[in-house]
Amino acid sequence: MAATIKYADPHIRVKDVGRAVEWYTRMLGLKVEMILPDKKSPTFARLGNDAGVAVMISDGGDFMKGKPAPKLVAQAIAAKKAQRVVSIYYRVDEDIKKLYSSVKRKGAKISQELVEQPYGMLEFELKDPDGYAVGVGQDIGGS
């Protein structure tokens, strides 16, 4: 029997892991599941929720060995190269309007206002502190 993929944990590299952790927990309600080496100066974190949604965040270094990001990785992070081609998309099962109002009230940088798409999704997009596009959608039916 072949393995079935059940979850995806996107792994984004950021300049400041602590700042990104604070943003994803405050804006999207994700919880810290793991943080290394510690909360004071994190270089890696895994955030998630009870539904199995997750994101891994690191500074691009080898957090298991305590080594900093290689020069090219650090340069790419500083230049925000990945943000030009990588985005994260989360689906919610209900209350997208409530979430949208909440993130706006908390000062999120909205890059796409809440809009009903022709493919049956109600969506909005915001930017995280490192410039990654984070889309959020709710299935509302349709074609």
Side-chain angles (χ1 to χ4, degrees):
M1 174 179 242
T4 300
I5 296 172
K6 291 189 171 192
Y7 306 102
D9 291 10
H11 183 174
I12 57 174
R13 277 71 174 182
V14 301
K15 188 172 183 176
D16 184 334
V17 173
R19 179 183 67 181
V21 166
E22 188 279 329
W23 189 89
Y24 280 88
T25 57
R26 184 170 55 89
M27 291 295 175
L28 300 178
L30 298 177
K31 306 273 188 267
V32 176
E33 295 179 347
M34 177 190 306
I35 195 158
L36 298 170
D38 55 55
K39 289 182 181 182
K40 189 175 181 180
S41 55
T43 59
F44 174 85
R46 184 178 190 276
L47 310 177
N49 68 15
D50 293 338
V53 170
V55 63
M56 296 185 294
I57 302 167
S58 79
D59 64 3
D62 185 337
F63 53 88
M64 296 302 287
K65 295 180 181 175
K67 293 184 178 182
K71 185 177 180 180
L72 289 177
V73 173
Q75 289 172 341
I77 291 169
K80 296 186 176 185
K81 289 185 176 183
Q83 291 83 328
R84 298 177 197 158
V85 294
V86 173
S87 63
I88 300 173
Y89 188 86
Y90 293 111
R91 292 178 74 157
V92 298
D93 58 358
E94 60 187 5
D95 293 334
I96 192 168
K97 291 178 182 177
K98 186 186 247 183
L99 178 59
Y100 176 71
S101 295
S102 173
V103 299
K104 280 190 82 165
R105 190 173 53 256
K106 293 174 185 174
K109 182 178 178 185
I110 304 294
S111 50
Q112 176 189 298
E113 297 293 332
L114 189 64
V115 63
E116 189 173 319
Q117 299 290 5
Y119 43 84
M121 296 294 288
L122 185 58
E123 301 176 325
F124 68 92
E125 184 181 270
L126 55 163
K127 297 284 186 169
D128 81 0
D130 288 275
Y132 286 100
V134 179
V136 180
Q138 179 181 332
D139 187 345
I140 55 171
S143 53

